């Protein structure tokens, strides 16, 4: 008997990962991707899994960082996105950053070559028809207006939205390296890195104060029809951060800690602008944390006041796009199915997760759930003690305020973090009571170890020690 294909709408990170997981389980997939027939305001190519906001998958530390744990869990689950990211990594200190073009091209090639995946370049302008059967909607933060309206009509709920800004990219050969220097914060060596993976541009107090004043006085892009839409705190435009107080940026993306000016070691910078390698050739560098909605002319003028960037040429300037996401705790069940229409699943940022890795991980879970059902098996969510399970619990559970608080939802997009994990008792070292930083580190290590152990059990993978014993 021929297996009916599972349809997926959207070929971003979540849709691509979902398609891969389903096809690898032996179930055919029909992947519908709009780009190729219609573009978006943020995407530049027709490649699947194109990275828009940044080229960083953030920390790859699977012991002390929740996103690093998520990386490790996805690798255990055979993630296509993680495999392609690992194959196209560029130096980024303790982070996993990728050559964005090489990464997207590799994902596209793998998807197109899979014998069970049929890629259709077409726009799905409304909710998928019932005759399609099981379908995953993974249209991301740039869901086409017609589809977004169809979702609203089906759910009877207004979709929430927030702005997401993208950072400028600079041509490396236009950076003045007599003023800037290479160094990772605290000289940290990460995957593929050397401890000197960022370009650092130092600022004195006077230069910093002048920069903040210029930033605040500049013209910003306005979207009056979307006024009142909240920003996501993890991707605030730099000028919005500056509006919160003159020292905000010094404690955020421009913090000088862990950095020593190679040209003047005795003088501590008041602030530092960091740039991270954006492609494998090392010809492009991304201004870290400099997502912005400044008008283009003001971006060039203001950013060229940064020491080392006086003659910078920009391969891309910053911009602003709208992100749309569901009231997932009220609309989706524990396996990401739409409660009002269980044949439909949602995945990726539209569910209310934030970040490339988080989006791909939700696609991974949605794909596994859909494949299990197609094969007549139970769609079992990962344990809440895992990074994937903790993120899923946030999306499908979220925070619902009490009647005393007004009864309104306060669900917001969230990056994976240890605060989403169930508490754990930190094991004591013999004869020693852990306190302060030592206790914090030990707690993170314990949460990480539990997460990876429980993830292996969920996936049916033996523990490393058990394999070694054999």
């Amino acid at each position: 008997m021929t297996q009916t294909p599972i349809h997926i709408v959207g070929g971003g990170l979540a849709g691509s990962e979902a398609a891969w997981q389903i096809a690898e389980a032996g179930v055919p997939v029909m992947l519908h991707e709009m780009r190729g027939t219609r573009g978006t305001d943020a995407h530049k190519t027709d490649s699947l899994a194109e990275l828009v906001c940044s080229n960083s998958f953030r920390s790859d530390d699977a012991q002390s960082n929740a996103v690093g744990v998520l990386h490790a869990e996805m690798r255990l689950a055979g993630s296509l996105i993680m495999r392609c990211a690992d194959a196209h990594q560029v130096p980024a200190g303790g982070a996993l950053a990728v050559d964005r073009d090489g990464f997207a091209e590799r994902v596209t090639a793998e998807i197109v070559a899979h014998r069970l995946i049929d890629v259709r370049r077409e726009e799905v302008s409304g909710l998928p028809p019932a005759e399609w059967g099981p379908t995953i909607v993974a249209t991301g933060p740039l869901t086409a207006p017609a589809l977004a309206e169809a979702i609203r009509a089906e759910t009877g709920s207004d979709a929430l939205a927030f702005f997401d800004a993208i950072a400028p990219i600079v041509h490396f050969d236009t950076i003045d390296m007599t003023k800037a220097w290479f160094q990772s914060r605290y000289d940290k060596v990460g995957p593929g890195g050397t401890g000197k993976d960022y370009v650092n541009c130092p600022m004195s107090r006077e230069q910093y104060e002048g920069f903040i004043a210029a930033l605040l006085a500049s013209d910003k892009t306005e979207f009056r029809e979307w006024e009142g839409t909240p920003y996501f705190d993890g991707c605030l435009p730099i000028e919005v951060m500056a509006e919160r107080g003159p020292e905000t940026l010094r404690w955020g993306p421009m913090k000088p800690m862990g950095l020593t000016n190679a040209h003047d070691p005795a003088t501590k910078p008041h602030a530092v602008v960091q740039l991270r390698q954006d492609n494998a050739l090392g010809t492009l560098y991304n201004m870290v944390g400099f997502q912005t909605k400044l008008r283009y002319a003001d971006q060039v003028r203001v950013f060229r006041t940064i020491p080392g960037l006086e003659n910078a040429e920009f391969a891309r300037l910053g911009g602003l796009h709208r992100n749309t996401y569901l009231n997932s705790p009220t609309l989706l069940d524990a396996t990401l199915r739409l409660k009002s229409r269980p044949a439909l699943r949602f995945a990726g940022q539209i569910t209310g997760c934030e970040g490339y890795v988080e989006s791909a991980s939700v696609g991974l879970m949605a794909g596994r759930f859909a494949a299990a059902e197609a094969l007549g098996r139970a769609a079992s969510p990962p344990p809440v003690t895992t990074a994937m399970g903790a993120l899923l619990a946030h999306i499908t559970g979220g925070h619902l305020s009490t009647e005393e608080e007004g009864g309104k939802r306060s669900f917001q997009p969230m990056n994976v973090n240890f605060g989403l994990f169930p508490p754990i008792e930190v094991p004591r070292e013999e004869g020693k009571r852990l306190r302060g930083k030592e206790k914090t580190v030990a707690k993170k290590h314990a949460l990480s170890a539990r997460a990876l152990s429980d993830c292996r059990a969920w996936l049916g993978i033996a523990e490393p020690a058990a394999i070694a014993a054999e």
Side-chain angles (χ1 to χ4, degrees):
M1 186 176 82
T2 304
Q3 179 81 51
T4 302
I6 293 174
H7 292 260
I8 298 176
V9 183
L13 276 78
S16 296
E17 185 64 60
W20 186 260
Q21 293 290 326
I22 294 167
E24 286 292 280
V27 179
V29 177
M30 190 170 291
L31 177 61
H32 307 262
E33 169 52 46
M34 176 180 75
R35 287 178 297 117
T37 60
R38 174 179 170 176
T40 75
D41 292 336
H43 290 90
K44 303 299 181 185
T45 75
D46 294 338
S47 294
L48 302 175
E50 179 184 339
L51 305 181
V52 174
C53 183
S54 168
N55 73 322
S56 176
F57 281 36
R58 311 196 319 281
S59 176
D60 202 42
D61 180 353
Q63 271 196 311
S64 304
N65 191 291
V67 75
V69 177
L70 189 58
H71 288 178
E73 291 181 3
M74 292 174 67
R75 290 182 179 116
L76 288 173
S79 166
L80 172 67
I81 294 301
M82 288 306 302
R83 178 158 58 82
C84 292
D86 289 336
H88 289 276
Q89 68 178 20
V90 296
L96 172 60
V98 304
D99 177 324
R100 69 177 74 212
D101 291 335
F103 165 79
E105 289 166 4
R106 176 72 171 268
V107 173
T108 303
E110 295 268 6
I111 291 288
V112 170
H114 201 292
R115 65 182 183 83
L116 290 179
I117 301 176
D118 180 9
V119 179
R120 301 287 180 92
R121 296 285 184 169
E122 59 189 13
E123 180 180 355
V124 178
S125 57
L127 279 183
E131 56 266 29
W132 279 10
T135 301
I136 297 173
V137 178
T139 47
L142 301 174
T143 298
L147 179 54
E149 186 54 42
I151 293 169
R152 289 190 189 97
E154 171 65 30
T155 62
S157 173
D158 291 335
L160 300 177
F162 64 92
F163 290 126
D164 198 10
I166 55 180
I169 293 176
V170 177
H171 289 282
F172 173 72
D173 60 6
T174 66
I175 301 173
D176 185 352
M177 294 304 294
T178 66
K179 296 179 180 179
W181 76 96
F182 281 106
Q183 185 187 7
S184 300
R185 201 176 299 281
Y186 300 107
D187 301 307
K188 187 171 183 178
V189 177
T194 64
K196 297 183 177 181
D197 302 326
Y198 291 77
V199 170
N200 299 277
C201 299
M203 282 187 172
S204 66
R205 178 186 293 274
E206 294 73 20
Q207 289 168 330
Y208 176 78
E209 290 175 349
F211 173 78
I212 295 297
L215 201 60
L216 295 175
S218 298
D219 286 337
K220 288 86 176 173
T221 302
E222 299 295 340
F223 289 84
R224 293 187 179 161
E225 67 272 26
W226 295 342
E227 281 180 357
T229 302
Y231 292 105
F232 170 59
D233 275 348
C235 202
L236 283 174
I238 191 169
E239 61 277 4
V240 173
M241 286 188 273
E243 288 167 359
R244 294 185 172 185
E247 293 295 294
T248 303
L249 289 170
R250 286 191 67 240
W251 293 98
M254 296 176 68
K255 60 181 179 286
M257 284 75 80
L259 298 168
T260 301
N261 188 341
H263 305 298
D264 187 6
T267 303
K268 182 173 178 58
H270 187 71
V272 174
V273 175
Q274 287 197 305
L275 295 93
R276 178 181 59 234
Q277 186 175 330
D278 201 76
N279 65 344
L281 294 174
T283 57
L284 300 176
Y285 273 70
N286 188 300
M287 296 180 70
V288 178
F290 267 58
Q291 52 273 359
T292 182
K293 59 172 184 169
L294 294 183
R295 295 190 183 279
Y296 285 172
D298 281 319
Q299 288 186 48
V300 174
R301 178 180 58 80
V302 174
F303 295 156
R304 282 180 177 168
T305 67
I306 298 169
L309 301 185
E310 294 91 344
N311 298 306
E313 294 295 333
F314 297 89
R316 183 192 71 188
L317 288 164
L320 186 71
H321 60 270
R322 186 186 187 188
N323 278 358
T324 303
Y325 63 95
L326 298 170
N327 292 340
S328 294
T330 60
L331 299 176
L332 304 182
D333 72 8
T335 63
L336 300 167
R337 294 182 303 185
L338 190 63
K339 294 175 183 177
S340 65
R341 188 174 158 184
L344 284 185
R345 271 192 169 84
F346 285 83
Q349 283 184 263
I350 197 170
T351 65
C353 66
E354 176 60 26
Y356 290 144
V357 180
E358 289 87 341
S359 180
S361 75
V362 177
L364 185 154
M365 289 185 280
R368 282 181 165 262
F369 297 154
E373 287 183 353
L375 296 170
R377 304 169 187 161
S380 174
V384 71
T385 50
T386 65
M388 284 192 284
L391 185 62
L392 181 64
H394 169 73
I395 291 168
T396 59
H399 170 70
L400 301 179
S401 61
T402 64
E403 289 185 10
E404 288 77 11
E405 294 173 305
K408 294 182 179 179
R409 300 179 61 261
S410 59
F411 174 66
Q412 291 289 325
M414 182 75 74
N415 291 116
V416 68
N417 63 82
F418 283 126
L420 299 179
F421 290 51
I424 193 170
E425 190 68 30
V426 179
R428 290 189 181 188
E429 293 184 17
E430 189 173 345
K432 181 180 180 183
R433 186 174 181 178
L434 298 177
R435 296 180 183 274
K437 186 175 181 180
E438 275 189 319
K439 185 175 181 179
T440 299
V441 171
K443 181 180 178 181
K444 289 179 178 179
H445 287 184
L447 288 169
S448 300
R450 181 183 68 179
L452 293 175
S453 178
D454 290 354
C455 184
R456 289 188 184 95
W458 178 62
L459 294 168
I461 299 173
E463 291 284 349
I467 296 173
E470 294 176 1

